[in-house]
Amino acid sequence: MARIHNIMGGGGGKNNKRGKKKNNSKYMELDDDHYDSNNNNNNNNNSSPAPSFGPYDKKAMTLFDYRTDHFDGDDVAQQKAIKDPTFMYAMPLDGNQVFFEETSLVARPAISFQECKDRCFTRLKYLGIDVTDIIEEEFCYIPMGGSLPIKDQRIIGLGGASAMVHPSTGYHLCRMLMGASDMANAIISELDKENKDDINLDRAAASAYHAIWTPENIRQRNFAVFGGEFLMEQDVVGLRGFFDGFFRLPLELWAGFLAGWPGLPNNDKHETWLARMWFGLNFVIRIPAPVALSMVGSILMYSLKEGAPLPQSVTPFLGQPPSYKYKDALQANVGDVAVKDEARRMIIEARLTEEVPVAFGDDDDDDDDAGEEKISLARDDVLTEQEKE
């Protein structure tokens, strides 16, 4: 999965598939006339601009504009926008400067940056919003979902490298900052030992991952991963219905889902299987019937395909996800132990210690022959030693 946006501003393990979130964002400088959304600007220089630009309130941020009426008359583009939806963020800044962002919430494969950019300008033109200057333009690609870090490794990832991006929303920064302290404390507790012989780097790495991916955190993430998969199945009508119901929930419920990490506001409404089940029941009764039926079908199909993760996240059954806790027996037996022991023994017993020069480049043939002869002699020496043994 991924999220894609073109941001503009002026004047923007098992489940190893990732969605993509893209956007094209721009900071823009707008013409004064565009603020009169009711077309009642009479060119009176003494009159104050209207409190909006197009349909967007000048004093508030618009989060999701999933309208497609700006494609009226272009059936091909409109059908494409219905099937592969994008939405507009609009955030007023100082004066006539506005931050616009045309975003694909989550898609697999990702919608192109150019598509987001084209839709952005088509929308603004239809709304009668005149752009006088583009101050900054940003292209953003956010991988979402995907597998958790591999267990029993010493390489420690944080943030996006540790799959901490919210699988349904693409939010990341606050989650990463909250997890960083827990991970750092886990590493310090292992490395800050009086007896340095007691330091175990494998245990330090395992503890670091366990600090951010406890079994309960994994269960909460699995719930959000399903959310991202469901959103990818929806056309623009389904997404309108989804978010209409979502924001009808009590604030603490929808805000807690957007946070989705221990320690962030209202996350306590999602930290247990019972809390997530309560959220789901409250949500499904608020969305349109076709979207609710689609969600029930997706729950069944996803559970059949992926197995335990979703039922595990909303019920007390099927146990806990595998833990990242350090296990001595596992660490000691990673890989083919017999082959590793044999390799160590042969390295220790190896008697070939002389450098064996090999000719490279454009050296003359004599040097090449000499190099080959030295290698051959060295190999003969090794064979002789082995025969002696």
Side-chain angles (χ1 to χ4, degrees), residues 334-346:
V334 172
D336 191 324
V337 178
V339 170
K340 291 181 178 181
D341 289 342
E342 181 187 26
R344 292 190 190 98
R345 178 180 59 78
M346 293 181 69

Side-chain angles (χ1 to χ4, degrees), residues 350-371:
R351 302 183 183 278
L352 181 58
T353 58
E354 297 292 331
E355 291 186 4
V356 181
V358 179
F360 294 99
D362 297 325
D363 295 340
D364 56 45
D365 294 339
D366 292 340
D367 289 340
D368 289 344
D369 294 341

Side-chain angles (χ1 to χ4, degrees), residues 42-286:
N42 57 9
N43 294 322
N44 183 348
N45 292 332
N46 294 324
S47 64
S48 59
S52 64
F53 48 97
Y56 307 123
D57 193 324
K58 188 179 178 182
K59 296 184 178 180
M61 179 178 176
T62 301
L63 183 58
F64 292 117
D65 182 357
Y66 268 114
R67 286 172 289 198
T68 56
D69 52 352
H70 52 293
F71 291 112
D72 285 351
D74 188 341
D75 292 341
V76 174
Q78 188 167 52
Q79 288 303 312
K80 190 174 181 180
I82 291 172
K83 181 178 179 294
D84 300 311
T86 58
F87 63 90
M88 175 70 86
Y89 282 129
M91 182 171 64
L93 302 173
D94 293 333
N96 286 9
Q97 293 185 5
V98 184
F99 172 94
F100 289 113
E101 177 180 301
E102 189 77 23
T103 299
S104 163
L105 179 64
V106 59
R108 186 192 301 123
I111 295 175
S112 72
F113 286 119
Q114 189 62 52
E115 182 72 18
C116 290
K117 187 172 183 176
D118 291 344
R119 292 185 186 185
C120 177
F121 280 109
T122 300
R123 189 190 299 269
L124 295 177
K125 182 179 179 180
Y126 174 82
L127 296 174
I129 297 176
D130 297 323
V131 179
T132 60
D133 188 24
I134 298 176
I135 297 173
E136 185 177 342
E137 183 173 11
E138 173 185 314
F139 299 89
C140 182
Y141 175 100
I142 306 174
M144 296 163 61
S147 58
L148 289 171
I150 297 173
K151 293 180 173 64
D152 310 318
Q153 60 168 317
R154 286 190 180 182
I155 299 173
I156 300 174
L158 180 65
S162 191
M164 295 179 72
V165 177
H166 195 300
S168 295
T169 68
Y171 295 158
H172 172 224
L173 183 58
C174 291
R175 296 158 60 88
M176 185 271 292
L177 292 174
M178 292 298 294
S181 297
D182 295 333
M183 177 176 275
N185 289 333
I187 295 172
I188 291 171
S189 67
E190 178 60 36
L191 300 186
D192 189 22
K193 296 182 181 294
E194 291 186 8
N195 185 353
K196 299 305 178 183
D197 291 337
D198 292 337
I199 294 176
N200 185 320
L201 298 182
D202 292 313
R203 185 167 55 216
S207 300
Y209 278 123
H210 182 71
I212 57 174
W213 289 123
T214 63
E216 195 53 56
N217 280 7
I218 296 173
R219 291 173 80 179
Q220 185 173 352
R221 179 183 186 270
N222 288 341
F223 184 73
V225 168
F226 166 74
E229 294 291 328
F230 176 73
L231 289 170
M232 278 193 290
E233 297 173 358
Q234 303 306 299
D235 62 12
V236 72
V237 177
L239 290 176
R240 289 171 186 161
F242 180 95
F243 286 111
D244 180 66
F246 185 81
F247 289 111
R248 290 179 188 273
L249 288 165
L251 183 146
E252 61 271 15
L253 287 184
W254 65 257
F257 180 82
L258 295 182
W261 196 267
L264 292 178
N266 298 303
N267 189 68
D268 58 301
K269 306 298 188 296
H270 294 265
E271 287 183 343
T272 66
W273 70 263
L274 185 59
R276 291 187 289 271
M277 177 64 80
W278 178 249
F279 166 83
L281 293 175
N282 275 273
F283 181 40
V284 77
I285 64 175
R286 286 172 167 81

